[in-house]
Amino acid sequence: MTDWFDIHMTPDELQRMSALGLAHIGDAVYELLVRSYLCTHGRATGRNLHRDTVALVCAPAQARAVKALERRLTQEELAVFRRGRNAKVSGIPHGATVGEYHAATGLEALFGWLWLTGSRDRLSELFSGLMEALHAA
């Protein structure tokens, strides 16, 4: 039986996955991390919890966070981020610029890639840095 909470894909398997596939996984991972962060930091009231989650998961917030993280990425992580950022997307959500949406897609692709490689420690390290950057702004 596959342990879906502990997936370790090979570099070849990850290379065959589309950048948008990585971003799709990364979007869910990122949102789960944000929800966990908010709940463990005492922001678990119903109405505010959803609002605070949306404020951190939206493309503009992710794009701001990417600026703080880029210098902390390895060359391999930066390549994955760029692969996601350069992916052809079909539409841009309201409230986000094209640049913000591409940066957010790159971040999500990176988080998806880290999840699928089993790099939980690195994922946690980058997410913590991202939260610090967002709250310092």
Side-chain angles (χ1 to χ4, degrees):
M1 180 172 96
T2 301
D3 180 354
W4 294 105
F5 291 101
D6 195 26
I7 296 174
H8 299 272
M9 293 180 72
T10 68
D12 286 343
E13 291 170 325
L14 288 165
Q15 194 59 38
R16 286 192 301 268
M17 185 179 289
S18 73
L20 293 179
L22 291 173
H24 183 70
I25 297 285
D27 178 53
V29 170
Y30 183 73
E31 184 162 347
L32 179 60
L33 291 170
V34 166
R35 287 174 179 231
S36 299
Y37 175 87
L38 292 173
C39 287
T40 59
H41 284 79
R43 296 192 183 130
T45 61
R47 182 180 52 178
N48 293 339
L49 185 58
H50 178 71
R51 186 196 68 223
D52 291 349
T53 300
V54 170
L56 292 172
V57 174
C58 68
Q62 289 177 335
R64 282 191 309 274
V66 164
K67 292 184 189 314
L69 280 188
E70 277 186 293
R71 67 181 183 279
R72 298 171 70 179
L73 300 179
T74 67
Q75 289 301 312
E76 188 175 27
E77 292 166 347
L78 199 51
V80 172
F81 166 76
R82 288 181 182 140
R83 182 178 161 203
R85 183 192 63 196
N86 296 334
K88 182 176 169 74
V89 294
S90 59
I92 308 298
H94 298 293
T97 66
V98 172
E100 289 170 336
Y101 191 65
H102 283 289
T105 303
L107 178 68
E108 291 169 350
L110 174 61
F111 274 45
W113 181 80
L114 288 167
W115 173 261
L116 293 171
T117 60
S119 303
R120 304 300 188 269
D121 290 342
R122 182 63 173 155
L123 188 56
S124 291
E125 179 184 336
L126 290 176
F127 181 75
S128 293
L130 193 143
M131 287 296 106
E132 288 172 20
L134 285 176
H135 289 298

